[in-house]
Amino acid sequence: MNNNKPRRFNIPLETLLEAKKCTKHHACLTDSEYELCGIRITVENQARMVCDKGADCSYRFRLGNEIVCTCPVRHAIHSKYNI
């Protein structure tokens, strides 16, 4: 997204509170240039967030050969907005 408008997602406060380990101050919700973790569909036809945001993310988790995102906010964005 390279428009000058800030990204606006309406995510419940409870979800934001679950993501209290976020070191990026929830940039995914406010920074229009912040790149979200990618999505890969698994063999079981489920979406999995694939993380490539660097080692400083508290929600990175190694699963086999992939680094996946376990951030509650990122998962909420995907569930609500299919992004």
Side-chain angles (χ1 to χ4, degrees):
M1 293 177 106
N2 284 330
N3 58 20
N4 292 326
K5 294 179 185 176
R7 181 179 283 155
R8 297 285 183 210
F9 295 120
N10 186 10
I11 301 300
L13 178 60
E14 298 82 28
T15 304
L16 292 175
L17 293 174
E18 285 178 40
K20 60 186 169 204
K21 296 189 300 183
C22 181
T23 59
K24 299 176 184 350
H25 308 287
H26 304 296
C28 58
L29 299 177
T30 59
D31 183 350
S32 63
E33 302 215 3
Y34 185 82
E35 192 173 326
L36 296 171
C37 291
I39 300 168
R40 179 169 295 140
I41 304 301
T42 67
V43 175
E44 297 84 19
N45 204 27
Q46 295 179 347
R48 176 179 295 151
M49 305 304 127
V50 181
C51 186
D52 59 358
K53 299 295 164 227
D56 63 332
C57 181
S58 301
Y59 292 99
R60 286 170 46 102
F61 177 75
R62 181 164 292 284
L63 183 63
N65 293 329
E66 291 184 327
I67 305 285
V68 296
C69 174
T70 60
C71 177
V73 173
R74 176 63 183 104
H75 284 264
I77 290 170
H78 175 67
S79 293
K80 188 169 184 176
Y81 298 98
N82 203 28
I83 298 173

